[in-house]
Amino acid sequence: MKATALTDEDPVKLAEFEARIDRGEKIEPSDWMPQLYRKQLIRMIEQHAHSEIIGALPEGTWITRAPGFKRKLALMAKVQDEVGHAQLLYSAAETLGKSREDMIADLINGKSKYSNIFNYPAFTWADSCFISWLVDAGAIVNQIANSKGSYGPYCRALERICAEESFHLKYGHHCVIHLATGTKVQREMMQAAFNRWWAPMMHFFGPSDKISVHSEILMRWKVKMSSNDECRQQFLDMYVPKIWELGLTVPDDKLRKDPETGQWEFTEPDWEEFKRVINGDGPCNKERLAVRRVAEERGAWVRQALLAPKTKYVAPLA
């Protein structure tokens, strides 16, 4: 608990704030909140928004190469949804006082982070299918839990996002089934994608609770409703049986469910790789940010044209 960060707060207001959270009430933008709560929310929501924007890139490269017209249409709709999710999340973060322009600037200059998993390349169509099914499945595990959290605008955004992500999940599952039950070449391609993406997938939920920096205060204030390890366990519980049903192999010799505890045992993720990638040294970090930088530069004239000379910044409604 970062007690030092709360020493300057009014103890009466802080107690009332925490009592509201304990009662399950939602905190709204105009309500009093500790500066640490505001800071952590901005960090978490803008990182989520960045992840939606950057996450559209590896799948977006497969729109024109997807097999068949229907797959192209479906993937294009999915990518469009992901970008729309980012807009909802940027709006939710703006209610806390940070402008969208500042958030985008912090993304491009490397100050703000986004999900590690989108810094890996999608070499084949099967990689895109893995993302559509299991990365989105992991996102839903996180987001359904957090949609029951304490900050109203974020919860409302997550409710809509989860509804749309459920369709993405079905689309991705269908794509994986098609490859896993197809020809020998298709099955091998799908298995190769699992071999490449499983380690990043285990990183997806964040560091182990033993080394997580932010989890304690986020869970105390119900910004996060489940810990990183709890989300990882839930994901394994829900999806490992489905993977095995398709005849696919999870590339982890230690993966097993302890019959006594009901917990999954697995190889400890390489947290040094996690730190290295999130700090900008992954296979695609520079490429991903370069794409966003070019898009921002090319779209500048549109944003400027839309602004009236006397336009004032207005925070989005919650």
Side-chain angles (χ1 to χ4, degrees):
M1 164 58 180
K2 297 184 179 180
T4 55
L6 298 175
T7 53
D8 294 333
E9 300 290 358
D10 182 324
V12 175
K13 289 182 177 179
L14 180 60
E16 291 173 351
F17 170 82
E18 293 192 329
R20 288 187 63 193
I21 288 178
D22 290 342
R23 292 194 297 269
E25 296 179 21
K26 299 294 184 193
I27 306 301
E28 298 297 340
S30 59
D31 295 339
W32 184 91
M33 63 187 75
Q35 284 305 308
L36 182 59
Y37 179 81
R38 185 184 302 274
K39 179 181 177 180
Q40 290 283 15
L41 270 172
I42 291 173
R43 180 191 63 81
M44 185 170 167
I45 300 173
E46 76 169 303
Q47 286 186 8
H48 187 176
H50 296 333
S51 298
E52 297 282 358
I53 285 280
I54 299 293
L57 298 180
E59 289 183 293
T61 61
W62 278 96
I63 291 173
T64 57
R65 296 179 288 166
F69 186 61
K70 288 185 178 180
R71 288 276 193 248
K72 288 178 171 64
L73 284 178
L75 184 56
M76 185 162 55
K78 181 183 186 299
V79 168
Q80 177 179 272
D81 279 353
E82 306 295 9
V83 175
H85 295 169
Q87 306 313 317
L88 286 172
L89 292 163
Y90 284 132
S91 292
E94 282 184 301
T95 65
L96 292 156
K98 186 171 182 178
S99 73
R100 185 173 309 213
E101 290 76 13
D102 286 344
M103 286 185 268
I104 295 294
D106 284 347
L107 168 66
I108 292 172
N109 66 31
K111 182 178 178 181
S112 292
K113 310 301 182 186
Y114 55 88
S115 181
N116 261 26
I117 204 163
F118 300 122
N119 286 313
Y120 293 86
F123 290 120
T124 70
W125 170 243
D127 292 332
S128 178
C129 296
F130 183 101
I131 295 170
S132 296
W133 183 30
L134 291 179
V135 176
D136 281 25
I140 289 174
V141 168
N142 278 330
Q143 292 164 18
I144 285 179
N146 292 340
S147 69
K148 299 175 178 65
S150 63
Y151 189 59
Y154 188 37
C155 296
R156 291 188 284 274
L158 286 178
E159 286 175 2
R160 176 171 172 178
I161 289 169
C162 288
E164 293 181 355
E165 290 287 5
S166 66
F167 287 100
H168 301 173
L169 180 69
K170 292 174 183 176
Y171 158 78
H173 191 205
H174 185 268
C175 290
V176 173
I177 289 172
H178 185 83
L179 294 178
T181 60
T183 66
K184 182 175 183 292
V185 171
Q186 288 174 316
R187 293 195 301 274
E188 289 175 349
M189 182 171 68
M190 194 68 248
Q191 183 60 58
F194 267 81
N195 296 345
R196 282 191 292 273
W197 285 84
W198 190 255
M201 192 70 232
M202 289 295 94
H203 287 150
F204 179 79
F205 300 95
S208 167
D209 294 345
K210 294 176 289 187
I211 60 174
S212 179
V213 176
H214 302 291
S215 288
E216 182 185 351
I217 193 68
L218 291 175
M219 293 190 70
R220 170 176 166 174
W221 285 338
K222 297 185 180 178
V223 175
K224 284 183 66 169
M225 299 299 285
S226 297
S227 74
N228 296 347
D229 286 340
E230 287 170 346
C231 287
R232 206 167 358 250
Q233 284 288 331
Q234 186 181 348
F235 170 81
L236 292 170
D237 216 31
M238 293 173 70
Y239 291 99
V240 168
K242 296 180 187 295
I243 293 166
W244 287 342
E245 282 174 7
L246 293 173
L248 294 165
T249 301
V250 175
D252 182 353
D253 293 338
K254 294 183 179 179
L255 184 69
R256 62 180 288 273
K257 191 170 188 178
D258 188 317
E260 295 183 5
T261 65
Q263 296 289 298
W264 287 90
E265 298 175 357
F266 49 86
T267 301
E268 186 70 15
D270 183 347
W271 297 119
E272 290 306 312
E273 179 186 352
F274 173 86
K275 292 175 186 176
R276 179 173 56 79
V277 174
I278 206 165
N279 286 317
D281 191 25
C284 296
N285 292 66
K286 292 181 177 62
E287 176 187 335
R288 300 289 186 244
L289 293 184
V291 171
R292 289 308 312 152
R293 187 177 297 108
V294 169
E296 194 69 9
E297 291 169 355
R298 289 179 177 175
W301 71 272
V302 179
R303 295 189 298 276
Q304 291 167 4
L306 289 172
L307 286 175
K310 296 182 180 179
T311 299
K312 292 183 180 180
Y313 174 79
V314 178
L317 294 173

